[in-house]
Structure formats: structure tokens, C-alpha cells
Amino acid sequence: MLESRSQLGPHHPLRRFFCVLAERNFYEHLGWPDNRVIRYVADLLADFADVNRVYPFSRDSGHRPTGIADLLLAAETGTAGVTERNAHRHIGDFTLFMMGLFPEHLTGLKTRLVATCADALIDYVKVGKRSYRLVAELPDEAQSGEEVALFRKLSDRFELCVAGVACIREDLRTRGKAPFDHFRERLN
């Protein structure tokens, strides 16, 4: 079982809230009752409710990578002080999160001048799929066969996972103020 990276305990109300939303949307809207994927997505959303978990790495210079281009550089060079595997796991999580909950922000990146945003040229789907695949393939003695299978599934069915998170986004919109509204405000 994957350990949560958040300070929220397994029975925290926010974690349970995202579990219910993920189950409902993956079951009803996608017809995909994969409990491991559902739990992973729910945990990801609960963890990323804290914006510091969205941008957790910092380089020796104190600069905090905030875009995929920065995160990819950190993963490949080890400048963020984390293993390549953990950096790629975060890149997969970040792309899934952004594509599912904030697609309008990504669309805005594509319309900016390339000189102002290196992420404008990045294909988030390809990067997310590749990063989850690398998590499955990079050696880690603590990673179980179930975890390898989970990350392969996240890679192979990345677009479906994004669609599931997008369904959760719409579900949150119907509820009024959503847990990620503070994050959306920081993006603008």
C-alpha cells in the first residue's frame, strides 16, 4: 500500500470526502471501479489540498520549481534533493491534478509567449504518462508488485484518470466553494 504523503490521517474528513467523490465519479461517470486507482486519486487530491504539497521541492538555490519544465529538470539532474523516482511520481501527480482540475490554466499557458513560460511547449499527457511509467520501472526495493501495477495502470490509462478528476471537478463546482479555490486564485 502506498503511504500518504500528507499530514492528514487516513480518517481525516477531507480524505474521506475525496474518497466518496472519487468513488462516485469513477464508478458512475467512467464505469471504472478500480479501487486502487480511486484511492490513489482521492489521496492525491487530499494531499494537494495543501498548496505546499503541490510544490514540495526546492533547489539548493532556494528556488522552488513550479512548472513541469522545472520539475523535469530537477528530476533529471537531482537538483531538487529527491530521487528521480520520487520526482517523476510528483510530476505524474502534478500533471494529473492540473489537467483534471485546472485545464483552463494549462490552456492559458499554451497561449502565452514561449519566452515567458517554458511549460507552453510541454505536452502534459505525454509527460504524465512517461513519469508514471518511470515510477513503475525505476528500481525501488520498497515498491511492491501491486504498486508497480498501479503506476503502470496510471500511465496506460492516464487520460481516463484525467477524465475522472475532471468529473470530480464538476462535482465540486456544484457544491459551491471548493477545496481548491484558493489554489486557483494563486494560479491567476
Side-chain angles (χ1 to χ4, degrees), residues 16-173:
R16 287 189 308 211
F17 172 71
F18 283 122
C19 239
V20 168
L21 286 178
E23 284 177 3
R24 180 173 55 218
N25 285 286
F26 275 71
Y27 276 77
E28 293 176 13
H29 294 272
L30 300 181
W32 189 23
D34 187 312
N35 289 327
R36 297 225 0 114
V37 170
I38 289 168
R39 181 60 192 227
Y40 188 86
V41 168
D43 285 343
L44 169 66
L45 295 174
D47 291 344
F48 278 20
D50 176 357
V51 73
N52 292 318
R53 306 302 274 169
V54 177
Y55 302 115
F57 309 132
S58 63
R59 294 190 185 145
D60 294 337
S61 66
H63 169 72
R64 193 172 236 188
T66 58
I68 289 299
D70 287 338
L71 291 169
L72 285 168
L73 179 64
E76 301 299 324
T77 62
T79 57
V82 295
T83 66
E84 182 181 9
R85 185 183 175 281
N86 285 341
H88 278 292
R89 178 179 174 172
H90 185 75
I91 291 167
D93 291 348
F94 183 83
T95 55
L96 176 58
F97 176 78
M98 293 299 289
M99 290 183 73
L101 288 180
F102 304 106
E104 69 282 354
H105 176 69
L106 300 180
T107 302
L109 288 178
K110 300 295 181 191
T111 60
R112 292 183 192 158
L113 292 174
V114 175
T116 62
C117 182
D119 279 11
L121 298 176
I122 293 177
D123 182 335
Y124 270 50
V125 172
K126 285 183 181 177
V127 169
K129 289 173 81 97
R130 177 180 175 267
S131 287
Y132 279 142
R133 176 64 63 183
L134 285 170
V135 172
E137 294 172 355
L138 287 169
D140 181 356
E141 293 175 12
Q143 183 168 256
S144 70
E146 285 182 8
E147 290 171 357
V148 169
L150 171 64
F151 286 108
R152 281 192 181 130
K153 194 177 295 182
L154 290 168
S155 174
D156 293 342
R157 305 196 74 191
F158 187 79
E159 296 91 339
L160 191 57
C161 293
V162 169
V165 175
C167 289
I168 293 168
R169 172 191 179 183
E170 293 309 310
D171 207 348
L172 288 169
R173 282 188 168 184

